[in-house]
Amino acid sequence: MNSPSSRSQPVTVVAQPFDFSFDLASTALVIIDMQRDFIEPGGFGESLGNDVSLLSAIVPACRNVLAAWRRAGGVVVHTREAHEADLSDCPPAKRDRGKPSLRIGDVGPMGRILVKGEPGNQIIAELAPLPGEIVIDKPGKGAFYGTALHTTLQQLNISHLIFMGVTTEVCVQTSMREANDRGYDGLLLVDCTESYFPQFKTATIAMTHAQGGIVGWTATSEHLLGTLPA
Ligand code: TIU
């Protein structure tokens, strides 16, 4: 394991419940919703009553993986949870949920909450997309619902997905389940995902690789990085 990958040679990452093998040419790195709205004060995450400071701890590990994946020439997908300005893609069942201090579409300190193009809706500067990378705006929790992601990945002959991002049990887990139902093999990097609820992160990792990998695989970024060119 851990020999440097070439685009056509399968490599293997030590993972749970067993090793995860992938080929760089048919694998995409999917970074879920690393947006100011979730990671910084004044956004959607904080409006729901969460302590958003927990999430920034994963940024250095995410940066390392993204840099290595770019060096290797792998496909990168960034997602943003983002609604149209008229909220036509935000059903009341989502907007009215809970008792947030600010609802989706309301004006907060980083602009309108969870609305496309607003400052708070942008991906944090440390992980900003580069030209040519795929950016998917998604109205739901899953990256496949209401988006062109599956079509785009099929056009690129992508069969394996490596996931990072926030939050583990909400948008990351939903996206991994959607991916699994569509036939992708998915690997979650456990030190590159975070939740507002540490116990939910732990539980999500366990339920992902339980039952022989019922949802997918989990691994540390160190084990992935060992398979990529230094
Ligand atoms: N609230 C929460 O934990 N997450 C979300 O609302 N969206 C994402 O996970 N991106």
Side-chain angles (χ1 to χ4, degrees), residues 32-33 38 44 48 50 81 138 166-167 169-171 196:
I32 301 288
D33 300 358
F38 296 106
F44 185 53
L48 296 171
N50 296 306
E81 189 168 347
K138 62 190 199 34
V166 296
T167 62
E169 80 282 9
V170 182
C171 291
Y196 301 120

Side-chain angles (χ1 to χ4, degrees), residues 32 138-147 149 170-171 174-176 178:
I32 301 288
K138 62 190 199 34
K141 295 173 178 65
F144 291 85
Y145 169 69
T147 74
L149 180 57
V170 182
C171 291
T174 304
S175 300
M176 285 194 75
E178 286 183 331

Side-chain angles (χ1 to χ4, degrees), residues 50-161:
N50 296 306
D51 173 5
V52 298
S53 68
L54 289 171
L55 268 49
S56 49
I58 63 167
V59 173
C62 291
R63 278 187 78 166
N64 282 343
V65 170
L66 178 58
W69 195 257
R70 283 171 170 162
R71 273 198 304 274
V75 171
V76 179
V77 177
H78 305 260
T79 72
R80 297 183 292 217
E81 189 168 347
H83 291 283
E84 300 293 344
D86 64 3
L87 303 186
S88 55
D89 57 356
C90 182
K94 181 173 185 183
R95 187 160 191 263
D96 297 343
R97 193 66 61 85
K99 291 195 190 321
S101 54
L102 291 168
R103 292 190 187 281
I104 297 168
D106 289 349
V107 178
M110 295 192 288
R112 294 181 68 201
I113 299 284
L114 227 55
V115 169
K116 280 182 192 174
E118 297 290 332
N121 206 239
Q122 303 309 309
I123 292 169
I124 59 171
E126 296 93 326
L127 301 172
L130 290 180
E133 293 179 347
I134 298 162
V135 180
I136 298 285
D137 282 327
K138 62 190 199 34
K141 295 173 178 65
F144 291 85
Y145 169 69
T147 74
L149 180 57
H150 187 42
T151 306
T152 303
L153 294 174
Q154 284 182 307
Q155 286 166 350
L156 294 169
N157 290 316
I158 297 292
S159 56
H160 290 59
L161 303 175

